Amino acid sequence: MSTVPLLHSMPHRRRAAVGFARLAALSVVVAWLALGGGCSRGSATSGFSPTWTPSATVSASAAPTLSPEQAAARATALAMEPPDPYTPQFTPEGAITAATYFLELVPYVGATGDLDIWQNMSTEDCEFCNGVGSEAAEIHDAGGWTDPWVQEITPLEWWTDQEDPNRYVVRTQVTSEGYTEHPTPSAPSQQVDKFDHELLIQLYWSGNDWAVEALQITNDEDSE
C-alpha cells in the first residue's frame, strides 16, 4: 500500500513543564506515516558506540536572589553533561540511535538551557522541537531551571516512507521518574509527575545526519 500522511491534533489543555509532559499541552498538527502491510518495518534494537561530540555544557551562574539551597540546585542542573554522542548512520539502527539520543536531550535542555544540540537535530517546522526549545529558553532567561531527571527509553519498532526512503518513524517507550521545574527564582517550584508514554518520532536523513521532523504521544489520555 502507499504511505499516506495522517493528521493528528493535540489540543491545549494546561501548561506543562519542559519535557514530554508538555506534549499534552502543545497544540500541533503533524503529518505521520500510516501503519500498513506495505511499509518497510522492523523491530528495534540498540547498542552503538557514538563518536560525535556536541558543544560544551552551559556554565553555571546562580541568580543573586536565590537561596543557597536553590543556587546549589541550579548550579547542579547547569553542570549536567549532555548525553553520550552518537555516530550518524543511514540504517534502521542509525535512525533508532538518533531518535534515542534526541529523547535523551530533553532533560539536558531543561536543566541547562543549552539549545545548540537540540536545534541542530530539529527541523524548522518541528512543533514539538520548537515548543520545548522556546519554553526552556523562557525559563532560563527568567533565572529558572529544571532539575535533571532519569528516564528509560526502549525502542520498539521502526518503519519507512515508501515514497521517500530517507524518512523513518521510530516507535519507542519512554518511562520517566517525576522531576521539579523552577520557573523563576521568585515563583514556586512545580512538580511534574512520573509518566510512561509511547512515542512516534519522525526523522529524515539529510545525507550526513538525522533531523527530527515531528514527535507525538500515541497513548496520552489528554490527546485527541
Side-chain angles (χ1 to χ4, degrees):
M1 60 174 287
S2 62
T3 300
V4 181
L6 300 180
L7 295 181
H8 297 272
S9 178
M10 302 178 61
H12 182 86
R13 295 293 183 89
R14 64 178 184 273
R15 181 182 183 278
V18 170
F20 301 115
R22 87 178 310 280
L23 276 168
L26 189 61
S27 298
V28 298
V29 178
V30 295
W32 285 110
L33 305 177
L35 287 170
C39 300
S40 175
R41 304 176 63 181
S43 60
T45 57
S46 58
F48 309 99
S49 300
T51 59
W52 176 63
T53 303
S55 57
T57 306
V58 175
S59 59
S61 58
T65 56
L66 295 174
S67 68
E69 293 78 11
Q70 289 175 319
R74 184 168 187 260
T76 297
L78 292 176
M80 181 180 180
E81 293 292 331
D84 292 337
Y86 73 99
T87 301
Q89 297 179 6
F90 184 41
T91 62
E93 292 79 10
I96 292 166
T97 302
T100 300
Y101 180 81
F102 186 76
L103 298 177
E104 290 174 342
L105 281 174
V106 176
Y108 173 74
V109 167
T112 68
D114 180 5
L115 298 176
D116 289 347
I117 314 170
W118 181 263
Q119 292 173 343
N120 186 59
M121 284 197 72
S122 307
T123 59
E124 292 183 359
D125 58 352
C126 175
E127 296 282 354
F128 172 76
C129 311
N130 294 335
V132 169
S134 295
E135 190 165 339
E138 178 183 350
I139 290 174
H140 280 268
D141 287 347
W145 73 96
T146 300
D147 289 342
W149 75 91
V150 176
Q151 55 187 3
E152 181 180 348
I153 301 169
T154 307
L156 302 174
E157 63 176 342
W158 56 268
W159 59 93
T160 59
D161 186 348
Q162 282 188 329
E163 298 180 359
D164 190 341
N166 292 322
R167 179 171 288 111
Y168 276 66
V169 171
V170 177
R171 185 169 70 92
T172 188
Q173 193 79 20
V174 178
T175 303
S176 175
E177 64 181 23
Y179 60 93
T180 304
E181 181 190 73
H182 309 271
T184 67
S186 58
S189 299
Q190 301 176 1
Q191 183 65 32
V192 177
D193 295 334
K194 63 181 180 180
F195 53 84
D196 187 358
H197 288 322
E198 185 176 293
L199 308 175
L200 297 177
I201 305 107
Q202 184 169 302
L203 307 99
Y204 194 84
W205 177 256
S206 63
N208 56 16
D209 206 348
W210 293 97
V212 174
E213 295 183 321
L215 185 152
Q216 184 162 343
I217 289 179
T218 64
N219 66 336
D220 189 89
E221 62 182 7
D222 284 342
S223 297
E224 293 182 358

